[in-house]
Amino acid sequence: MAAASAERSAIAPPLPARLRRKSSLSDYSPITTVKIPKPSSKRRHGLLALVSARGGDGDGKGDGNHLVGRALELQNDSVSKDLHALPRPLTSSHLPHSLADGSRLRVAYQGVRGAYSESAADKAYPNCEAVPCDQFDSAFEAVERWLVDRAVLPIENSLGGSIHRNYDLLLRHNLHIVGEVKFAVRHCLLANHGVQLQDLKRVLSHPQALAQCEHTLTKWGLVREAVDDTAGAAKHVALNELKDTGAVASSVAGKIYGLNILAQDIQDDSDNVTRFLMLAREPIIPGTDRLFKIESRPLRKQPLRLRDDNNNGPKYFDYLFYVDFEASMADQNAQNALKHLNHFSLHTGLYGAVSGMGDAQLLVLVDS
Ligand SMILES: O=C(O)C(=O)C[C@]1(C(=O)O)C=C[C@@H](O)C=C1
């Protein structure tokens, strides 16, 4: 990571003018998927391009080799097993918040200024340069194309549940989970000045935010309309000077777009926490042992499985399972567990390793 900015200039295509360093965030228009050049595919053979690095603390004997050895075994046999030829992963237990040249980390998030994701990016990487992207895909691509250094994206919310889109995108993209932050989401009902609650007929927001305020919005009899992000909703209401439409967004968004706060803390439960993943091009080597959850997603390429060779038997849905757990990559039990998963499944993929205060977190992908 120390060489990140040097690598950027050596490897990366020149940044589009609109993405070069700006004097303030308001100078940015969001990165959009269409404007990002298509990837020259570096995806390796196999289900996922996974851990692509060699670990250790410089002597080549550290935990990282173990991690990578494991990750490579989990992939297709045709992938090179020459571990020493692979690039090195980050090994620091503390994530860097600035680059070697002292410049700020550029962190992609989905939404416009004032989105919760922007605050989460700032919490994950204090003093970072948060870069708005119009869609989740754009944020993934921005990291892959070296337009930014990291992405911070929501993966689940304590009220609304999993953000499936990002599970699916983790599969399609070539990034590593290098950390996570939890962010307490406190929604406000925002409206233009002079507008009262009784003037409102509808309310705009991100679908997750609308879901998190479902009871309150129903009680108020407001029609709900989904938009890309909460702050985008606030911006729309403000720019169009809407009198019959409010936005569910943060107080920060209210301030940025000059809206009035009609009601505060309107989420159905005061414990409304969104978990965001920190994503990077390089993995980080980790520490402990805890299982958080298993998430299943339909296996798109092969959604149904037929029981017998004649295609006559009962059909089953086929799924991918994301096993979300903390473990040391050096722990033999964890390695054995992964090995067994590998035996029982057609493909197993290792998504990422998180290092935060010596803890590790893996998102392992297994298909049924
Ligand atoms: O719209 C935003 O402000 C976001 O950051 C997105 C998002 C989400 O995707 O869940 C993030 C946190 C809140 O749970 C609501 C919306």
Side-chain angles (χ1 to χ4, degrees), residues 285-363:
I285 313 297
T288 73
D289 230 349
R290 253 176 343 138
L291 185 67
F292 289 118
K293 71 167 190 168
I294 297 179
E295 178 76 30
S296 64
R297 298 286 295 143
L299 189 57
R300 287 206 187 160
K301 285 198 182 135
Q302 191 190 322
L304 291 176
R305 191 196 309 179
L306 299 168
R307 193 125 206 224
D308 67 66
D309 292 342
N310 300 321
N311 288 351
N312 290 325
K315 286 177 179 173
Y316 292 100
F317 285 100
D318 248 354
Y319 295 96
L320 290 172
F321 294 95
Y322 295 80
V323 184
D324 188 341
F325 73 107
E326 278 188 359
S328 164
M329 300 308 292
D331 177 10
Q332 196 53 48
N333 290 335
Q335 296 301 322
N336 287 342
L338 289 173
K339 203 170 189 170
H340 285 126
L341 278 176
N342 199 30
H343 281 313
F344 290 122
S345 69
L346 297 174
H347 303 282
T348 305
L350 184 61
Y351 260 128
V354 172
S355 175
M357 312 311 286
D359 282 350
Q361 187 160 319
L362 308 175
L363 201 55

Side-chain angles (χ1 to χ4, degrees), residues 115-117 136 154 157 163 185 206 208 212 229-230 274 276:
Y116 293 104
S117 298
F136 291 137
N157 172 268
I163 293 150
V185 172
H206 186 282
Q208 278 275 343
Q212 292 157 19
D229 70 286
T230 57
T274 300
F276 290 82

Side-chain angles (χ1 to χ4, degrees), residues 202-311:
R202 58 178 194 145
V203 69
L204 309 180
S205 199
H206 186 282
Q208 278 275 343
L210 294 172
Q212 292 157 19
C213 304
E214 195 176 329
H215 297 310
T216 317
L217 298 176
T218 303
K219 188 179 74 188
W220 288 336
L222 294 174
V223 173
R224 280 150 263 180
E225 259 178 54
V227 294
D228 282 345
D229 70 286
T230 57
K235 190 176 177 180
H236 182 84
V237 168
L239 282 181
N240 295 288
E241 298 177 16
L242 301 177
K243 303 285 182 220
D244 64 348
T245 306
V248 171
S250 66
S251 56
V252 175
K255 205 172 274 177
I256 292 172
Y257 301 108
L259 295 177
N260 205 13
I261 297 179
L262 290 185
Q264 251 172 327
D265 276 329
I266 62 167
Q267 61 277 357
D268 294 334
D269 195 310
S270 55
D271 283 336
N272 185 25
V273 175
T274 300
R275 181 181 167 214
F276 290 82
L277 296 181
M278 295 146 77
L279 302 172
R281 290 178 291 272
E282 309 278 345
I284 283 184
I285 313 297
T288 73
D289 230 349
R290 253 176 343 138
L291 185 67
F292 289 118
K293 71 167 190 168
I294 297 179
E295 178 76 30
S296 64
R297 298 286 295 143
L299 189 57
R300 287 206 187 160
K301 285 198 182 135
Q302 191 190 322
L304 291 176
R305 191 196 309 179
L306 299 168
R307 193 125 206 224
D308 67 66
D309 292 342
N310 300 321
N311 288 351

Side-chain angles (χ1 to χ4, degrees), residues 10-282:
I11 302 169
L15 293 178
R18 52 190 285 284
L19 278 175
R20 286 187 207 122
R21 293 196 184 283
K22 311 275 173 139
S23 53
S24 83
L25 284 176
S26 57
D27 294 335
Y28 285 115
S29 52
I31 295 180
T32 63
T33 306
V34 268
K35 288 177 186 160
I36 293 175
K38 265 278 158 244
S40 62
S41 183
K42 285 193 188 138
R43 193 166 273 247
R44 287 201 295 270
H45 194 63
L47 188 58
L48 288 165
L50 303 166
V51 179
S52 60
R54 181 169 72 89
D57 294 318
D59 61 1
K61 295 176 191 155
D63 297 349
N65 281 333
H66 202 46
L67 160 67
V68 173
R70 184 65 238 141
L72 288 174
E73 275 173 45
L74 294 172
Q75 292 184 74
N76 195 296
D77 285 346
S78 66
V79 173
S80 163
K81 289 193 172 150
D82 182 4
L83 303 181
H84 296 280
L86 294 167
R88 297 172 58 80
L90 304 177
T91 53
S92 162
S93 61
H94 296 281
L95 301 172
H97 291 165
S98 61
L99 297 170
D101 64 2
S103 61
R104 292 156 75 202
L105 270 181
R106 291 160 58 82
V107 181
Y109 69 94
Q110 189 268 332
V112 297
R113 284 203 60 214
Y116 293 104
S117 298
E118 184 189 35
S119 304
D122 207 51
K123 183 174 180 186
Y125 299 104
N127 195 36
C128 72
E129 195 173 340
V131 179
C133 298
D134 71 337
Q135 300 294 332
F136 291 137
D137 314 47
S138 321
F140 274 89
E141 286 191 16
V143 183
E144 283 173 333
R145 306 287 128 242
W146 293 74
L147 299 174
V148 296
D149 306 297
R150 301 278 190 278
V152 170
L153 297 171
I155 195 75
E156 65 176 324
N157 172 268
S158 55
L159 298 179
S162 294
I163 293 150
H164 294 128
R165 177 84 188 131
N166 280 334
Y167 276 97
D168 294 344
L169 288 170
L170 276 171
L171 239 191
R172 268 189 243 155
H173 290 270
N174 205 355
L175 298 183
H176 298 274
I177 301 165
V178 294
E180 70 168 47
V181 280
K182 294 188 180 75
F183 189 82
V185 172
R186 301 179 64 181
H187 293 302
C188 299
L189 178 65
L190 305 173
N192 281 301
H193 290 279
V195 173
Q196 305 296 317
L197 178 57
Q198 56 271 22
D199 301 325
L200 297 180
K201 291 194 173 53
R202 58 178 194 145
V203 69
L204 309 180
S205 199
H206 186 282
Q208 278 275 343
L210 294 172
Q212 292 157 19
C213 304
E214 195 176 329
H215 297 310
T216 317
L217 298 176
T218 303
K219 188 179 74 188
W220 288 336
L222 294 174
V223 173
R224 280 150 263 180
E225 259 178 54
V227 294
D228 282 345
D229 70 286
T230 57
K235 190 176 177 180
H236 182 84
V237 168
L239 282 181
N240 295 288
E241 298 177 16
L242 301 177
K243 303 285 182 220
D244 64 348
T245 306
V248 171
S250 66
S251 56
V252 175
K255 205 172 274 177
I256 292 172
Y257 301 108
L259 295 177
N260 205 13
I261 297 179
L262 290 185
Q264 251 172 327
D265 276 329
I266 62 167
Q267 61 277 357
D268 294 334
D269 195 310
S270 55
D271 283 336
N272 185 25
V273 175
T274 300
R275 181 181 167 214
F276 290 82
L277 296 181
M278 295 146 77
L279 302 172
R281 290 178 291 272
E282 309 278 345

